[in-house]
Amino acid sequence: MSRSLTRKATEVLAQQLLNGVAVGGVYALFALGFTLVFGIHRLLNLAQGAVFAVGSFAALYAVLRGLPLALAFLLAMAASGLLNVVVEILAFRRLRKHGEVEFGAIISSLGASMVIISVLQRVSATQVFRFPFETVPLTVYTVFGLRISLLQTVMVAASAVLVVVLSLLLYKTSAGRQAQAVAGNERTVMLFGIRPNAVYFQTFFLSGALAGAAGVLVGLSFNSIHFMMGEPFMLKGLVAIVLGGLGSIPGAVIAGLILGIVQTLTLAYAPGPLSDVLIFAILFVVLTLRPNGLFGTQFAEGIGKRR
Amino acid sequence: MSELFASYQPLVNLMLIAIGYAFSQYVVLQAGVFSVATVGVASIAAYVTALLVVRVHLHPILAVIASIAAGIVVSAMLSIPLARLRGVYQAIATLAFVQIVLGLALYAEHLTGGPMGFNGIPKEVDTAVLLVSTVVVAYLLVAIRAGSAGRAFAAIRQDEAVAATLGVNVSRYHALAFIISGAIAGLFGALDALHGYSLTPEQFGFGALVAIISYVILGGRDSVWGPIVGAIALVGLPEISRPFAENRALVFGVILMVVIAWFPRGLVDTLLVHRRDVRLKRDANKASTAS
């Protein structure tokens, strides 16, 4: 009797872990885009959450227009990528040439985020939307006694594919190496014929596209698309990138997965607000004990002067 | 005349509270600390006052003093782990603090009323009290800015390494800025609680945090007039004109982007520097024509 009870409890735990990995994959995607811009340009783009919401809306719009989901997904990624490039041009370009970039970028991208969110609010008339029923068919597979829905499979697969593609882009292509060079020293790379503005275009496009992809996956799985949906994800994304070490790409992925699992487990066993308290308490403790995050190698102090 | 004032009195009160919070944010930014802890400290202080007045029936003045003390203690404790961090990391750590306070306030329903809010707080604070508090704090800030602490803050803000080389104890002055900021947040959090009849956790959430930063960015981080002008402008704009009220977030967003890109010092400090430059140039011209 008690044996079957413990077995039941283990099964529930394993199921929650699995759900956590699916959510964590989405966090990883979001955090990846966030940390990419920080790692290369030392800019914290707080408009990332708003871009994420735009991705969700774009995919919804495309699906409602009758496009297949895969196409809608790609369109949403393109739209959010382009939006993020616009944010870079309007909110960061002038700042980069004058004055306090680190401080200014936070304020400026916060402003950009407010502008995007209020436009979204206007367009959506403050309503909550959902994808049409069975946009992703409600198939459930049973593996080793665990239930995995088709949607969760899509979430994990899409996250994994995008993480691998991004790593290949960054480490194996010329454009990726140029981006890394810009991360080293912007003035020097200009002497080598690399145009920093082109690199900014690429990283912000990729970062926005990743945020948009996360937005589509979240829109599909939580089925509640509204103009404010980006804010909690931006705050959680911030947690993931700091835990992983600001600018560290493997760190962001691992921290995103951990965050998803911690959140799913705490939500399953504790009241909602306490889950947030725990997550932000972890962030605070990690920041004060290991400012470079769990996996980071960079310096938390005086980063503004490391240009 | 008095009728006109009465119709604008609620707005004036909101502006005075906003100026108080802006002062708290201004002190840390003035010392080069990028902390956003003001709303978190104000939240704790507001609930302390509400609990002491409603549950313990303490005299409001004593409750306000207790809140200021709570603000000082909380920010002194915060300043210890934060002393190691700078810039973005400081902002994120204090943001985490704000989220922790928000989560606890939502969770501890028996103390705070949870998401439904804390209701039935007596209104003990009127415009006169708010005005006196604001003026007193503004005077103290002017005095601090003119003294040795103010010079140390300015040196640290402009270049921490140079300040340290000149013998300024950076971590001590950072802690001092934190504590002054916490005391101000404590005072105005308490006044806020005794002014609005009720408190909700979200009142001290991310939106409020952004609004308070906006006041100081728009106004400026050097002169004490900066936060005053910023708070009055941003609280007043939506009231004066309907299009602003309908697109409040949009206007705030555009203002933040434009000001930080084109007037990074803020409106007041840009104006003051410009006037000083003009005066210096005129004096220089006078000197050259005289000789």
Side-chain angles (χ1 to χ4, degrees):
Chain A
M1 179 69 199
S2 73
R3 195 181 218 177
S4 78
L5 262 182
T6 46
R7 181 147 172 222
K8 183 100 185 135
T10 342
E11 252 175 41
V12 170
L13 182 68
Q15 184 69 51
Q16 294 293 359
L17 277 176
L18 185 75
N19 298 344
V21 170
V23 177
V26 178
Y27 277 135
L29 272 190
F30 186 80
L32 201 56
F34 223 159
T35 214
L36 182 66
V37 164
F38 192 90
I40 293 177
H41 303 306
R42 309 258 132 219
L43 296 169
L44 201 58
N45 178 13
L46 291 186
Q48 192 90 358
V51 172
F52 159 96
V54 168
S56 215
F57 270 97
L60 175 73
Y61 183 75
V63 166
L64 290 181
R65 276 297 176 92
L67 292 180
L69 182 62
L71 192 57
F73 198 110
L74 291 177
L75 278 179
M77 284 180 69
S80 7
L82 287 177
L83 176 65
N84 214 29
V85 169
V86 173
V87 168
E88 193 272 315
I89 293 171
L90 291 183
F92 293 135
R93 193 152 282 184
R94 195 184 144 81
L95 277 180
R96 264 161 43 209
K97 294 183 187 127
H98 311 265
E100 305 167 77
V101 186
E102 186 191 1
F103 177 76
I106 290 180
I107 304 298
S108 191
S109 59
L110 209 51
S113 161
M114 289 166 86
V115 171
I116 297 171
I117 288 174
S118 36
V119 170
L120 266 186
Q121 183 180 15
R122 262 299 163 85
V123 172
S124 68
T126 323
Q127 283 176 342
V128 179
F129 294 90
R130 44 180 54 223
F131 277 99
F133 188 61
E134 294 226 317
T135 301
V136 176
L138 284 173
T139 321
V140 176
Y141 309 108
T142 312
V143 183
F144 299 118
L146 297 178
R147 295 159 54 81
I148 306 175
S149 68
L150 178 60
L151 178 61
Q152 284 178 323
T153 323
V154 169
M155 282 163 76
V156 173
S159 309
V161 166
L162 286 172
V163 167
V164 170
V165 167
L166 185 88
S167 317
L168 289 179
L169 271 182
L170 203 59
Y171 295 114
K172 298 286 179 205
T173 65
S174 165
R177 281 192 289 270
Q178 289 186 9
Q180 290 189 46
V182 170
N185 188 324
E186 219 171 296
R187 288 215 181 98
T188 315
V189 297
M190 284 170 84
L191 300 176
F192 288 87
I194 297 172
R195 284 174 305 152
N197 277 352
V199 173
Y200 275 93
F201 184 97
Q202 287 160 7
T203 45
F204 273 80
F205 182 83
L206 281 177
S207 157
L210 288 171
V216 180
L217 292 175
V218 167
L220 282 170
S221 63
F222 293 97
N223 237 333
S224 135
I225 300 170
H226 55 98
F227 70 101
M228 286 293 283
M229 67 187 287
E231 190 187 298
F233 272 84
M234 205 200 58
L235 293 174
K236 297 281 164 59
L238 222 44
V239 177
I241 62 174
V242 173
L243 287 189
L246 276 174
S248 155
I249 284 177
V253 174
I254 298 170
L257 285 172
I258 294 177
L259 187 65
I261 293 169
V262 168
Q263 186 176 3
T264 316
L265 287 183
T266 48
L267 278 178
Y269 297 106
L274 271 195
S275 164
D276 274 8
V277 170
L278 183 74
I279 286 170
F280 286 103
I282 294 175
L283 169 66
F284 191 87
V285 170
V286 168
L287 258 183
T288 50
L289 296 183
R290 266 192 73 86
N292 303 316
L294 298 174
F295 312 99
T297 50
Q298 279 154 348
F299 301 99
E301 294 173 17
I303 48 167
K305 296 175 184 92
R306 288 185 65 234
R307 297 219 112 212
Chain B
M1 182 65 206
S2 67
E3 261 172 47
L4 184 72
F5 180 71
S7 69
Y8 277 108
Q9 202 167 3
L11 179 63
V12 172
N13 291 352
L14 285 183
M15 282 178 177
L16 290 170
I17 292 173
I19 292 174
Y21 287 147
F23 279 154
S24 167
Q25 180 69 62
Y26 156 82
V27 174
V28 273
L29 291 182
Q30 194 194 16
V33 182
F34 197 4
S35 155
V36 294
T38 293
V39 276
V41 177
S43 175
I44 294 174
Y47 281 112
V48 164
T49 289
L51 281 169
L52 287 178
V53 170
V54 175
R55 300 265 172 90
V56 190
H57 303 293
L58 202 65
H59 191 279
I61 290 182
L62 293 177
V64 171
I65 292 172
S67 283
I68 297 174
I72 291 175
V73 171
V74 169
S75 42
M77 280 179 356
L78 263 184
S79 75
I80 299 167
L82 288 179
R84 287 181 63 195
L85 304 177
R86 293 290 176 273
V88 179
Y89 292 83
Q90 243 168 1
I92 296 175
T94 46
L95 178 63
F97 163 73
V98 170
Q99 292 292 320
I100 292 170
V101 172
L102 177 67
L104 287 177
L106 283 170
Y107 173 68
E109 280 184 28
H110 59 291
L111 285 178
T112 64
M116 302 298 292
F118 193 122
N119 299 306
I121 308 167
K123 185 177 166 81
E124 303 280 355
V125 165
D126 55 9
T127 310
V129 176
L130 288 173
L131 192 63
V132 170
S133 313
T134 311
V135 171
V136 168
V137 171
Y139 175 77
L140 289 176
L141 290 178
V142 170
I144 290 170
R145 186 169 173 272
S148 66
R151 285 195 297 275
F153 287 165
I156 295 171
R157 183 185 69 234
Q158 281 161 24
D159 196 320
E160 192 183 316
V162 172
T165 321
L166 294 174
V168 175
N169 186 338
V170 173
S171 50
R172 220 186 83 203
Y173 279 103
H174 270 182
L176 181 65
F178 252 111
I179 288 169
I180 298 172
S181 165
I184 300 172
L187 169 64
F188 280 88
L191 295 178
D192 203 352
L194 292 174
H195 166 261
Y197 299 106
S198 73
L199 291 172
T200 55
E202 278 89 0
Q203 201 177 326
F204 303 99
F206 192 64
L209 183 157
V210 175
I212 292 170
I213 292 184
S214 313
Y215 304 149
V216 185
I217 298 299
L218 174 66
R221 280 160 280 160
D222 190 16
S223 155
V224 179
W225 286 103
I228 298 176
V229 170
I232 291 178
L234 286 180
V235 176
L237 267 185
E239 303 294 327
I240 294 167
S241 128
R242 260 186 79 79
F244 279 135
E246 281 165 4
N247 299 299
R248 196 164 169 269
L250 188 72
V251 173
F252 266 52
V254 171
I255 286 178
L256 280 186
M257 286 169 73
V258 169
V259 169
I260 203 71
W262 299 90
F263 309 101
R265 296 166 192 266
L267 296 184
V268 172
D269 292 333
T270 306
L271 196 71
L272 290 178
V273 168
H274 179 71
R275 273 180 49 186
R276 195 191 60 197
D277 287 350
V278 168
R279 202 180 58 228
L280 286 177
K281 204 178 265 174
R282 200 183 51 212
D283 290 353
N285 283 342
K286 226 183 263 169
S288 62
T289 45
S291 66

